[in-house]
Amino acid sequence: MSSTLLRSSAVRAALRTSPTKVARAGLAGSTFVRGKATLPDLPYDYGALEPSISGKIMELHHDKHHQTYVTSLNNFSEQMAEAKQKDDVKAQIALQPMINFHGGGHINHTLFWENLAPQSQGGGEPPTGKLSQSINDSYGSLDAMKEKFNAALAGIQGSGWAWLVQDTQTGSIQIKTYANQDPVVGQFRPILGIDAWEHAYYLDYQNRKAEYFKAIWNVVNWKAAEKRFQ
């Protein structure tokens, strides 16, 4: 691992032991300080998912892209609070799409980091229990589900996500795609998501995104997915 990645990891480790660090709370494990969203720490080093995802990709994806969503969400949320104080309905309407986009980016990426694990920590190991049974019932096998999931990822036009979701009304699982940073809300519960934005893979795979879709299954954290499945 490069010295930059080691330094980044060391800084985050220090933050995790800091007495001023606020415990995780809220939706999708997001952290909040005085009502503000904060960038969640990764439970593994940036280079721990190699060769499926490089340390450089993880560093840029987490510390740059996700941080931008967090910063922008906080900024637009403050503007929204001011607009509400002033009873400025037009400003509130104008701000809402930006809050939806950056808030969705924060939620989606927080879930995404939890979706992944180094192979030394169980990444890539198949699901068990009720989730495994539900996958078999719905798709015939885990490999068949992966094939359909990757086809859904490949079918995304532009930027977006593919998710394995659970219908909260029926309990059944489905594969659904969402544009841009739209989060999984309402009738469906997110179980497992894969980021299909170019920033998630381009440094490693360039235009060969199908290789990224295949490789990422080697570091999928099915244990985290099992905890979300009800």
Side-chain angles (χ1 to χ4, degrees):
M1 191 184 304
S2 72
S3 59
T4 300
L5 301 185
L6 285 169
R7 284 197 300 271
S8 298
S9 178
V11 169
R12 296 206 170 277
L15 285 173
R16 279 195 290 271
T17 60
S18 169
T20 60
K21 186 67 178 176
V22 178
R24 288 188 173 188
L27 183 61
S30 302
T31 55
F32 295 87
V33 179
R34 296 177 183 173
K36 289 189 176 183
T38 62
L39 185 69
D41 293 327
L42 297 183
Y44 40 79
D45 292 335
Y46 286 128
L49 304 180
E50 293 181 349
S52 298
I53 307 176
S54 70
K56 188 60 176 178
I57 282 253
M58 289 298 295
E59 183 178 16
L60 290 171
H61 200 170
H62 179 255
D63 260 2
K64 303 301 182 185
H65 290 280
H66 191 171
Q67 181 63 68
T68 296
Y69 294 125
V70 169
T71 301
S72 298
L73 172 60
N74 288 332
N75 289 340
F76 288 120
S77 294
E78 288 177 3
Q79 293 177 39
M80 177 67 82
E82 292 174 4
K84 288 181 177 179
Q85 269 193 334
K86 297 176 181 177
D87 200 24
D88 188 341
V89 177
K90 288 184 179 180
Q92 293 176 51
I93 292 172
L95 286 165
Q96 194 59 57
M98 301 307 295
I99 291 174
N100 291 348
F101 178 81
H102 292 287
H106 178 41
I107 291 170
N108 289 342
H109 282 86
T110 299
L111 288 169
F112 185 56
W113 310 133
E114 296 171 359
N115 281 170
L116 305 175
Q119 290 184 319
S120 61
Q121 298 176 22
E125 294 181 3
T128 60
K130 293 181 180 179
L131 178 56
S132 176
Q133 186 61 55
S134 184
I135 290 172
N136 291 336
D137 291 344
S138 298
Y139 298 101
S141 68
L142 178 61
D143 285 341
M145 189 282 295
K146 290 179 182 179
E147 185 176 344
K148 289 184 180 297
F149 200 108
N150 285 358
L153 282 165
I156 294 173
Q157 299 298 312
S159 301
W161 295 70
W163 291 90
L164 184 67
V165 303
Q166 184 177 21
D167 190 317
T168 59
Q169 297 179 7
T170 67
S172 64
I173 58 173
Q174 302 177 34
I175 295 168
K176 295 180 68 67
T177 58
Y178 290 77
N180 300 313
Q181 293 296 350
D182 291 352
V184 180
V185 294
Q187 183 179 344
F188 299 102
R189 177 184 301 111
I191 303 299
L192 174 74
I194 292 180
D195 190 347
W197 281 64
E198 281 193 345
H199 64 235
Y201 65 85
Y202 199 81
L203 282 180
D204 291 345
Y205 297 95
Q206 288 84 48
N207 63 324
R208 306 183 313 277
K209 63 181 180 181
E211 293 181 20
Y212 159 69
F213 298 152
K214 182 178 179 180
I216 198 170
W217 294 106
N218 295 325
V219 290
V220 162
N221 183 2
W222 283 107
K223 293 300 181 185
E226 289 170 16
K227 291 178 181 178
R228 298 191 194 120
F229 183 75
Q230 298 181 12

